[in-house]
Amino acid sequence: MTDTVLETENLAVTYTGDRRVEAVKGVDLAFPENRLTAIIGPSGCGKSTYLKALDRLHDIQPNVEITGEVYLRGEPVYDTDEPAPEIRKQVGYVPQEPTALPLSIYENVAYGLRIHGLFDSKDDLDELVERHLRKVNLFEEVSDRLDAPAAGLSTGQIQRLCLARSLAVEPDVLLCDEVTSALDPISAENVEETLAELAEEYTIVMVTHSMDQAKRLADEVVFLYLGEVVETNDVRSFFEDPQHERTKRFVSGPTDDEYAVSDAT
Ligand SMILES: Nc1ncnc2c1ncn2[C@@H]1O[C@H](COP(=O)(O)OP(=O)(O)OP(=O)(O)O)[C@@H](O)[C@H]1O
Ligand SMILES: [Mg+2]
């Protein structure tokens, strides 16, 4: 039996600004160790909101109400004295829009290692930076300019750098929100190959718009609709034998427009 690394119990997220939006409505899910789970669903169905809640990334936003609980290896993520950065060290988050820190390529990867004091010597730090750049298949491309500003990299390279930065602090889980959608097809393919390799040794929760990407990468698939889980299953059963009518319609290829969730809903 596979261990559950991360789990949510009745997790609900409501935006309480000008309008009240119940973006995530009581979601129970368990993410098994060393599996890649893809969360799919139409635009506006709460995928990003849910993913951010796993990492307490709404903490810094006003007007967000969160109820229920997230458990990381059985320990509550919200009802705890641990500060959010401690949680985020264990649960890495890679956003859709890759953003390099205004530092060198080397220092982008070293960043979390420095903050958390996770190295013994300069040699050790050098080794860790190289190892994680290799893990995301970026080292060969940048080895001659590690001290150059990261801003000079291509978007696809920056996305892989962000992955390396997240991985450097040895998180238990990696959360990826549509990490290939801002990329050109070739960069997207590179990042996807990297994710496929990372999926061998990490627990990954990935939001994707692409059913094909979910088929290629995922072990488990979750279909979220209007903030609720419609169906979750292993990737094969999910696509070959969907249980719910709504899943059937979604996987048989409606356009996103047809499914677009209006903000009024
Ligand atoms: N900061 C916010 N304030 C108010 N409402 C928000 C905020 N962020 C998202 N929402 C609303 O919450 C709902 C879910 O949004 P969310 O971004 O989680 O969807 P999504 O499934 O990630 O969509 P997409 O596929 O387009 O990225 C939407 O109705 C959205 O308008
Ligand atoms: Mg989103």
Side-chain angles (χ1 to χ4, degrees), residues 4-263:
T4 293
V5 179
L6 191 67
E7 179 168 17
T8 66
E9 205 177 85
N10 204 16
L11 186 69
V13 185
T14 303
Y15 295 104
T16 58
D18 296 343
R19 286 173 312 118
R20 217 180 142 79
V21 181
E22 292 179 37
V24 174
K25 301 173 190 164
V27 168
D28 294 306
L29 280 174
F31 300 102
E33 180 144 46
N34 281 343
R35 298 283 176 85
L36 189 150
T37 305
I39 301 180
I40 62 170
S43 185
C45 73
K47 303 181 296 296
S48 298
T49 301
Y50 177 75
L51 202 69
K52 286 181 188 161
L54 296 176
D55 215 8
R56 280 183 52 181
L57 286 161
H58 297 291
D59 282 18
I60 44 173
Q61 306 271 347
N63 307 326
V64 182
E65 230 171 64
I66 297 182
T67 58
E69 187 55 277
V70 179
Y71 295 94
L72 179 60
R73 298 213 179 264
E75 297 295 324
V77 161
Y78 283 90
D79 187 12
T80 173
D81 295 332
E82 293 267 341
E86 273 309 306
I87 307 294
R88 294 189 201 125
K89 180 174 159 286
Q90 296 167 67
V91 182
Y93 172 79
V94 185
Q96 174 175 352
E97 295 292 338
T99 315
L101 302 170
L103 299 167
S104 66
I105 294 168
Y106 181 101
E107 287 301 333
N108 261 271
V109 183
Y111 186 77
L113 295 163
R114 287 194 191 282
I115 286 183
H116 297 286
L118 298 175
F119 61 99
D120 299 326
S121 61
K122 176 75 169 86
D123 282 353
D124 188 29
L125 186 60
D126 288 352
E127 197 272 320
L128 287 167
V129 167
E130 177 173 337
R131 191 196 309 165
H132 289 97
L133 283 171
R134 284 194 189 283
K135 232 175 213 172
V136 300
N137 302 319
L138 188 58
F139 187 73
E140 304 294 332
E141 290 166 53
V142 300
S143 58
D144 59 341
R145 50 180 168 139
L146 291 178
D147 293 326
L153 297 174
S154 74
T155 323
Q157 288 172 327
I158 290 177
Q159 191 57 285
R160 278 176 285 151
L161 186 71
C162 292
L163 278 167
R165 190 171 72 212
S166 292
L167 294 175
V169 298
E170 305 283 349
D172 244 5
V173 184
L174 194 60
L175 309 176
C176 301
D177 196 349
E178 304 208 36
V179 288
T180 59
S181 66
L183 308 180
D184 65 84
I186 290 173
S187 304
E189 203 178 305
N190 283 337
V191 170
E192 197 177 298
E193 274 170 22
T194 300
L195 281 173
E197 287 170 25
L198 295 176
E200 305 277 316
E201 55 172 318
Y202 289 90
T203 304
I204 301 179
V205 182
M206 176 185 86
V207 165
T208 180
H209 249 109
S210 161
M211 226 91 75
D212 287 336
Q213 186 172 62
K215 280 181 197 163
R216 287 192 295 267
L217 291 179
D219 301 299
E220 311 285 330
V221 183
V222 173
F223 177 40
L224 206 61
Y225 184 73
L226 293 177
E228 290 175 299
V229 174
V230 176
E231 182 162 351
T232 174
N233 215 332
D234 67 88
V235 64
R236 198 170 161 167
S237 314
F238 184 91
F239 286 109
E240 288 180 6
D241 186 24
Q243 300 298 303
H244 294 263
E245 201 48 45
R246 203 176 279 291
T247 319
K248 281 180 200 162
R249 296 216 310 271
F250 190 70
V251 302
S252 66
T255 63
D256 217 36
D257 286 347
E258 190 182 327
Y259 259 83
V261 177
S262 100
D263 276 354

